[in-house]
Amino acid sequence: MIQIRGAGYRYEAHIRQVLSRLPAWYLEAARISRIGVSTAPKVVTQVAMYSHGSRDIQIAPGIGTMLERSLTHELAHGIDDGAPALSAHRFSRSPGWMEAHRQAAGFELPKYRDEPQEYFADMLSKYILHAAGSQTGNSLQRSHPREY
């Protein structure tokens, strides 16, 4: 079970509810050490942050409907983060992903255009949240076939 620090009872329950809806393999592959709730300005501005090395996720309090997408996105960074001897961006800096990133038709946010690892986390989180075979999953497959 992922340790959660700094959350009130209700917010911790909400975080755990979101985590419980994600596939077990996704949580295991991310290898997250802990989730901390933080009011640090950088965290609040970003909504959530993943820390390489510590494998911690920091999340702003009270982000409401953004919680599921934010956690899923940060977990994707954990999946991308290799062991210390490997790259911190083992998938998002691979030749195949770099090619998909270069050929992307557009980006939801400028940081997805500027940072392939952010685009990777965005696409992986969308894939997980909108499982293959669902209406949204099929739409993602049509709109982003290389990434899918």
Side-chain angles (χ1 to χ4, degrees), residues 5 16 45-46 48 80 95 113:
R5 291 185 176 169
R16 292 206 182 281
T45 299
Q46 292 290 319
D80 194 28
R113 177 196 64 224

Side-chain angles (χ1 to χ4, degrees), residues 1 12 46 54 69 72 84 88 97 103-105 114 116-117 122 136 146:
M1 179 183 297
E12 181 175 345
Q46 292 290 319
S54 69
R69 184 168 177 193
T72 308
W97 184 259
Q103 293 183 27
D114 299 340
Q117 67 272 15
D122 178 57
T136 309
R146 286 179 197 87

Side-chain angles (χ1 to χ4, degrees), residues 18-29 72 75 128-129 131:
V18 167
L19 294 173
S20 73
R21 290 192 301 257
L22 298 173
W25 67 263
Y26 192 71
L27 294 172
E28 291 169 16
T72 308
L75 288 162
I128 293 298
L129 291 173

Side-chain angles (χ1 to χ4, degrees), residues 128-146:
I128 293 298
L129 291 173
H130 310 291
S134 72
Q135 186 78 9
T136 309
N138 290 334
S139 175
L140 183 64
Q141 185 175 19
R142 283 189 302 278
S143 65
H144 297 84
R146 286 179 197 87

